[in-house]
Amino acid sequence: MTFEEIFNLFKEAQEKNVAKATFKSYINSYKRCKPLYNLIFRDIKAPQLQSLINSLNCSKGTKSITKGFLSVLYKYAIEMEILTTNRAEHIKLPKESKPKKINIFTGYDIKKLWDNIKIDWVEYILIMIYTGMRIGEAVNLKKENVDLVNGIIFGGNKTEKGMNRKIPIRDDIYPIIKNLYENSPTDYLIYNKNWVFKKKQDENKPIRENYFRDKFNETLQILGIEKHQTHDCRKTLATFMSKQQLNEVQITDILGHESINTTNDYYIKVDEQELRKSINKIDFLKDVV
C-alpha cells in the first residue's frame, strides 16, 4: 500500500474520533507530505522522512506538527500490522536560526479598542484578547458553553487539556458576552450582525474563519492599529498574565496548554526593560556584614 492509500484509511478511521481541529490539522499536514504520496509505505526509510521535514518551507512549529502527524500515522500502520517500527520518531527538528518575533497588542492598542467599542467587530477582538481563545474556538463557541451565572466559558479545541478547560470571563467583558448571548439569533455567541438572517438563520452555522480574519484586519486598519494575526490576541493574554505574575498552573489552565514551555517559547513576549528591573532587584551583597 502506498503512503496515500494508508492515509485514506487513516482519515476514514479518524474523522469521527478526533476533534475537528485535530482532523483539519491531519489534512493540512498530509498536504505537506506530497513527495511521499506514491511511495510504498513500508519501504519509506527514516532518512526520507527527515529529508521531507528539512525541505519544508515553514516554521519549526509547523514542522513539529508535521512530525507529530507522521508519528500518529505510523502508529496507525503498526496497529494495522503493516510494519512494526515507528520511523517518524527518529525525525529531528532543525533549530530556528532566529528567535520567533512575538507581536502583541499594547495597552495603548487595547485602550483604543475600548474607546471604539461601538465599531463592528471591536468587541469580538476584545473577547479574543481577554479570553485567549483561538480563532476556531471563538467562531465555534456555542451559547450552551457559556455559563453567565458563574462567569465561565467551557471548552476549546486542539489539545485534550484545551478541550476541557474553563475560561473565566473578566468583569469588564462580561456585559459584552451577556449582550451577545441574549441577542445572537444563532446557536453561536459570535455572529455577523450584518447578515440577512432570512437567508442565514436556517443554516445556523458559525462565521467562517477566513471571513472573521478579513473583518479583524479591516477593523484594525480603520483604528490605525498595527497589523496583527488573530493569534496575537492569545499571545497578548499570555504575556499580560505573565507580567501580572499569575502562576504557571493558572496560565496553562486558561490557555489550555499541556506545558508552560509551549507558552514561554511561542506566546510570551519578553520585555527587556522588565528583565533589567528584575536583575537589578537581586541583592548580591545581602549576606555581607
Side-chain angles (χ1 to χ4, degrees):
M1 297 180 73
T2 64
F3 184 94
E4 183 177 21
E5 289 168 336
I6 292 290
F7 175 75
N8 286 335
L9 290 176
F10 169 80
K11 181 174 67 172
E12 187 177 342
Q14 297 296 316
E15 188 169 10
K16 295 182 180 179
N17 293 318
V18 297
K20 287 183 180 179
T22 302
F23 185 74
K24 185 177 179 180
S25 176
Y26 289 159
I27 298 296
N28 290 335
S29 293
Y30 171 71
K31 291 176 182 178
R32 300 185 200 104
C33 300
K34 195 171 182 179
L36 305 178
Y37 284 2
N38 297 320
L39 301 182
I40 302 302
F41 191 87
R42 64 169 176 262
D43 291 341
I44 299 173
K45 305 301 182 186
Q48 289 174 284
L49 298 176
Q50 184 67 60
S51 178
L52 170 74
I53 296 296
N54 292 345
S55 69
L56 294 177
N57 183 23
C58 58
S59 68
K60 182 179 178 181
T62 302
K63 290 179 180 180
S64 178
I65 291 170
T66 308
K67 175 186 175 180
F69 157 72
L70 288 168
S71 184
V72 172
L73 187 63
Y74 268 85
K75 287 177 183 177
Y76 172 78
I78 291 170
E79 291 174 5
M80 297 287 289
E81 299 185 356
I82 293 169
L83 73 174
T84 58
T85 304
N86 188 339
R87 292 169 184 161
E89 291 181 345
H90 300 291
I91 295 173
K92 294 180 180 179
L93 296 174
K95 293 181 180 179
E96 288 186 315
S97 56
K98 294 182 180 178
K100 188 174 182 181
K101 182 182 177 183
I102 296 175
N103 188 26
I104 65 169
F105 287 84
T106 66
Y108 294 106
D109 294 333
I110 296 171
K111 183 178 185 305
K112 184 176 283 189
L113 289 166
W114 279 112
D115 289 344
N116 293 276
I117 191 66
K118 293 184 179 180
I119 294 177
D120 282 348
W121 296 86
V122 166
E123 58 189 6
Y124 294 161
I125 298 173
L126 286 169
I127 287 173
M128 291 186 69
I129 291 173
Y130 280 66
T131 63
M133 286 190 291
R134 301 175 179 90
I135 183 172
E137 295 170 341
V139 298
N140 287 290
L141 177 62
K142 289 191 172 183
K143 291 186 288 186
E144 64 188 34
N145 292 324
V146 178
D147 181 353
L148 291 176
V149 175
N150 296 300
I152 296 290
I153 292 171
F154 293 94
N157 62 25
K158 200 168 184 181
T159 66
E160 182 178 351
K161 185 170 182 178
M163 288 185 281
N164 295 306
R165 78 184 192 269
K166 297 177 182 178
I167 305 170
I169 303 173
R170 276 179 53 105
D171 292 345
D172 37 14
I173 64 165
Y174 182 90
I176 295 174
I177 290 177
K178 183 174 184 291
N179 182 61
L180 292 172
Y181 185 96
E182 293 173 348
N183 290 285
S184 173
T186 72
D187 289 340
Y188 300 89
L189 186 73
I190 290 177
Y191 66 99
N192 186 349
K193 297 174 184 177
N194 295 320
W195 271 343
V196 179
F197 278 99
K198 289 181 179 179
K199 294 181 179 179
K200 289 289 185 178
Q201 64 186 357
D202 292 336
E203 296 181 9
N204 198 20
K205 292 180 180 179
I207 295 173
R208 291 182 294 107
E209 290 184 24
N210 286 341
Y211 182 78
F212 189 99
R213 284 192 184 91
D214 289 342
K215 301 302 289 186
F216 176 92
N217 293 329
E218 182 182 308
T219 304
L220 294 185
Q221 188 174 8
I222 290 171
L223 296 178
I225 295 176
E226 178 187 358
K227 187 174 181 181
H228 284 275
Q229 304 294 325
T230 55
H231 212 66
D232 291 343
C233 297
R234 186 168 165 80
K235 294 175 181 179
T236 299
L237 177 64
T239 300
F240 275 77
M241 286 194 294
S242 178
K243 284 182 177 180
Q244 299 302 316
Q245 298 183 338
L246 272 71
N247 65 52
E248 293 182 358
V249 173
Q250 291 171 320
I251 293 174
T252 54
D253 277 356
I254 291 172
L255 293 177
H257 284 161
E258 299 286 353
S259 167
I260 191 64
N261 292 334
T262 301
T263 315
N264 288 334
D265 290 345
Y266 298 105
Y267 286 78
I268 295 177
K269 182 174 182 177
V270 176
D271 187 320
E272 288 83 0
Q273 293 304 315
E274 289 298 321
L275 285 178
R276 188 178 179 189
K277 288 179 184 177
S278 297
I279 200 70
N280 282 320
K281 288 179 182 177
I282 300 173
D283 186 356
F284 288 95
L285 303 179
K286 183 178 180 180
D287 297 325
V288 176
V289 179

